[in-house]
Amino acid sequence: MKRKIMLMSPAVFMLIAFGVVPLFIMFYFSFLSNGPHGSFTLQNYTDFFSKELYLKLTAKTVQLSLSVTLICLLVAYPMAYIMAKIIRKGKGLLLLLIIIPFWTSALVRAYSWVNLLRDGGLLEIFLRNLNLIEGSLGLLFTQTAVIIGLVHIYFPYMVITIFMSLEKLDDAILDAAQSLGATPFTTFRKITLPLSKVGILTGSILVFIPCLGSFVEPRILGGVNGSVIGTIIEDQFFEIYGWNFGAAIAFILLAMVLASMGLAARFNKEG
Amino acid sequence: MKKQGLAWLYAALIFSFLYIPVFVLALMSFNQSRYNTLPFAFSTHWYSLLLANTKLMAAVINSVYIAAITAVICVVLATALVLGLPAGRSRIRSLVNSLVLMPLTIPWLIMGLSLLLLLTELGFSKNLFMLLSGHIIISLPYAVLVIGARLADMDKSIEEAAYSLGANEWTTFYRIVLPNIWPALIAGGFLAFMISFDNFVISYFLIPSGSSTLPIEIYSSIKFGFTPEINAAATIILVVTMAMILLIAALMQSSIKNVFGR
């Protein structure tokens, strides 16, 4: 037993020293008035909750993350279903094709959309040649561009988790439902959907949480229209040097992350 | 049969969405035009500019060093952790598990910032040690998941047989366990390398002034405006990571699913 604890301890030490302890320091920082040696204050938090700007930004960030999650879910579910239940032969290859972009740099992938979406970019040229649009596309540096980029980046999480839960689903149950006279839609609504709930919830959390904390993609694709909580935190640290206020916002963000995880865990148990 | 056709059509649509932007990026890095406009004229001009850009090349070398050190340390730490983790449903096991998974659930923005605050509180300026620690923390979970999955799949009775035949712990590890889990060690290492190599957020907050990594260079160029040279750099990142994931997939085969399955 002692030897086992010795084996684990370097990794556990790293995780506590550079993962857990810094979070507590951030929490402590968020209650200081000025720099690392300020006095105790609640000002940073009251500032956040009393200014309309920040509340609006929070709402905007949540709305953005929800839209991305919902779009991912709606597009990913059929894909996962296809991989698990329809195209069985090619599913290893399909899974690999989903995983490859999953592991390639989110920064590069967000940037790859700049080429396509910017005015005078390739999508504009393409659509103009088809006579579908006139004038400029006007998509880059909008909320829509941010949503497209984030969906592109986090979509694989959703497909993979739903695929895993659908793959576990026994075909015999589906066959039984069919043979008892259920229509395909009833089978889906009463059996497939409830039994893939865990995958849906896990996938949604895996998309929703990184979206809440994103700041690079909104910067690149949203420009000045891309302000979210993440970009505000970055500004506080690198432009304004309001570290204590930045720490408070970061902690509010963390609280939102933990709350959504708790909520998902609760939904998971209830089923 | 019609169902199959529709299914493939849907899959094709999804894959065009996933792949067209990155293929266009790669293609445009070979286009002569400065503003990425058509018609397309093949040129390796931007790649030669990239190679001649000493600042960017220094950033690439930094990225490789940091990722390599991160990978080696992660593999060692993860292997020790996985071997030390008590079996069954113990309290320690679930505690350690949630500790390992924590960096996967907390946004990197927050992880990076909290490390920056730790530095300030300790009175240090940004340094390579803290940067590496940050990279190790966020890459470690992936290494643990891959190596742990492999170890869980391993037949325990072989290990017990070795013990009962008089092998000590070290011999058993060296002769039995290690040969069994080495593909996972390699795969876990490559995974950690990849996470670290294209990590932007942690590096951005913790990089000592005066140095840089490839993702940081890319980000600042994007902010600065549009340069085809960055298309070339981004294409290199894409090719490197795609090659690595194929390698890992070949090494892990079925086990790669386990990484996502938990």
Side-chain angles (χ1 to χ4, degrees):
Chain A
M1 196 62 219
K2 244 191 189 146
R3 193 166 284 159
K4 293 216 151 188
I5 288 175
M6 259 173 59
L7 275 170
M8 287 195 299
S9 54
V12 169
F13 171 79
M14 280 295 287
L15 287 163
I16 291 176
F18 300 104
V20 178
V21 169
L23 289 179
F24 280 100
I25 290 187
M26 193 175 79
F27 192 52
Y28 167 71
F29 240 78
S30 69
F31 288 107
L32 295 183
S33 60
N34 185 24
H37 308 295
S39 52
F40 176 87
T41 177
L42 286 172
Q43 191 70 38
N44 298 319
Y45 287 94
T46 48
D47 272 0
F48 185 90
F49 288 108
S50 61
K51 286 190 184 141
E52 205 183 342
L53 169 73
Y54 294 119
L55 296 179
K56 264 192 182 153
L57 267 171
T58 308
K60 185 184 160 195
T61 310
V62 171
Q63 197 193 355
L64 173 80
S65 309
L66 280 177
S67 322
V68 173
T69 310
L70 196 67
I71 295 171
C72 279
L73 180 61
L74 291 177
V75 181
Y77 201 98
M79 185 66 200
Y81 188 84
I82 284 168
M83 285 162 63
K85 300 289 170 205
I86 300 178
I87 307 178
R88 287 158 199 265
K89 270 191 184 153
K91 101 183 146 187
L93 178 71
L94 293 184
L95 195 62
L96 189 65
L97 283 174
I98 299 258
I99 287 173
I100 289 172
F102 174 86
W103 287 112
T104 48
S105 168
L107 178 68
V108 168
R109 286 198 281 149
Y111 171 63
S112 73
W113 281 100
V114 176
N115 270 328
L116 286 175
L117 297 180
R118 74 200 163 92
D119 287 344
L122 291 172
L123 193 61
E124 188 180 301
I125 296 173
F126 181 71
L127 291 176
R128 203 180 283 154
N129 283 343
L130 288 176
N131 284 324
L132 284 173
I133 56 158
E134 280 172 43
S136 63
L137 196 60
L139 258 182
L140 191 62
F141 305 135
T142 63
Q143 183 88 342
T144 315
V146 180
I147 291 179
I148 293 174
L150 288 172
V151 168
H152 189 234
I153 289 163
Y154 295 113
F155 171 79
Y157 284 94
M158 191 70 99
V159 178
I160 293 164
T161 47
I162 297 177
F163 168 76
M164 303 288 229
S165 67
L166 284 177
E167 219 195 12
K168 276 186 215 134
L169 192 115
D170 192 349
D171 288 342
I173 306 173
L174 300 179
D175 291 341
Q178 299 267 3
S179 68
L180 290 169
T183 61
F185 180 70
T186 315
T187 314
F188 177 76
R189 194 170 55 88
K190 295 235 162 165
I191 296 174
T192 313
L193 202 57
L195 286 177
S196 54
K197 205 185 77 179
V198 176
I200 293 174
L201 269 170
T202 316
S204 301
I205 278 296
L206 286 179
V207 175
F208 185 71
I209 287 176
C211 283
L212 277 185
S214 66
F215 75 96
V216 181
E217 301 83 3
R219 271 269 141 85
I220 295 175
L221 292 165
V224 281
N225 298 315
S227 294
V228 283
I229 296 185
T231 58
I232 295 298
I233 296 174
E234 191 210 346
D235 283 344
Q236 287 296 329
F237 273 85
F238 288 89
E239 310 286 334
I240 305 166
Y241 295 98
W243 284 32
N244 301 100
F245 187 49
I249 309 178
F251 217 82
I252 291 165
L253 174 63
L254 184 60
M256 286 162 64
V257 166
L258 294 176
S260 42
M261 272 166 35
L263 208 66
R266 192 154 180 184
F267 270 120
N268 240 341
K269 255 185 201 151
E270 274 173 10
Chain B
M1 220 57 259
K2 202 179 134 208
K3 209 167 154 190
Q4 286 268 333
L6 275 176
W8 278 107
L9 183 70
Y10 191 79
L13 278 174
I14 295 289
F15 287 125
S16 355
F17 170 69
L18 287 179
Y19 282 92
I20 283 177
V22 292
F23 276 139
V24 166
L25 176 77
L27 194 66
M28 282 301 147
S29 70
F30 290 104
N31 189 6
Q32 205 165 20
S33 154
R34 161 150 279 281
Y35 301 101
N36 266 4
T37 44
L38 299 173
F40 181 85
F42 182 83
S43 152
T44 52
H45 178 61
W46 307 115
Y47 285 87
S48 37
L49 267 189
L50 189 69
L51 281 174
N53 185 336
T54 46
K55 198 174 156 224
L56 211 57
M57 290 317 282
V60 172
I61 291 167
N62 272 345
S63 290
V64 172
Y65 274 140
I66 293 167
I69 298 171
T70 301
V72 171
I73 296 178
C74 277
V75 169
V76 174
L77 288 179
T79 310
L81 179 86
V82 163
L83 289 173
L85 209 58
R89 282 178 162 268
S90 69
R91 229 189 125 96
I92 300 181
R93 189 188 172 85
S94 63
L95 255 168
V96 172
N97 261 335
S98 36
L99 192 63
V100 169
L101 294 179
M102 188 195 73
L104 290 181
T105 46
I106 293 176
W108 287 351
L109 169 70
I110 292 178
M111 303 284 295
L113 285 178
S114 64
L115 284 168
L116 183 61
L117 292 175
L118 176 71
L119 275 180
T120 314
E121 195 58 26
L122 294 174
F124 292 118
S125 54
K126 296 179 185 179
N127 57 53
L128 215 56
F129 174 77
M130 199 56 98
L131 177 75
L132 269 172
S133 304
H135 276 244
I136 291 166
I137 290 295
I138 58 156
S139 314
L140 191 60
Y142 296 94
V144 171
L145 287 175
V146 172
I147 298 170
R150 179 76 183 203
L151 199 71
D153 283 345
M154 203 184 116
D155 191 351
K156 284 278 175 300
S157 59
I158 312 173
E159 224 179 310
E160 281 155 19
Y163 283 128
S164 69
L165 289 169
N168 63 26
E169 278 190 358
W170 175 244
T171 314
T172 311
F173 172 72
Y174 190 70
R175 309 274 304 253
I176 308 287
V177 180
L178 199 59
N180 256 296
I181 62 170
W182 79 264
L185 300 191
I186 308 263
F190 276 119
L191 220 53
F193 183 95
M194 230 157 56
I195 302 281
S196 166
F197 185 77
D198 53 44
N199 177 273
F200 162 73
V201 179
I202 299 282
S203 306
Y204 182 58
F205 291 132
L206 298 172
I207 194 93
S209 57
S211 29
S212 180
T213 66
L214 186 55
I216 292 179
E217 285 298 314
I218 292 184
Y219 182 67
S220 46
S221 307
I222 296 171
K223 259 181 140 177
F224 202 64
F226 187 83
T227 64
E229 215 175 322
I230 289 309
N231 282 6
T235 305
I236 292 175
I237 289 208
L238 281 176
V239 171
V240 169
T241 44
M242 282 186 184
M244 271 195 182
I245 192 65
L246 287 175
L247 201 74
I248 296 166
L251 279 169
M252 295 296 292
Q253 286 170 359
S254 68
S255 307
I256 196 132
K257 267 179 14 195
N258 292 329
V259 179
F260 302 102
R262 312 204 163 186

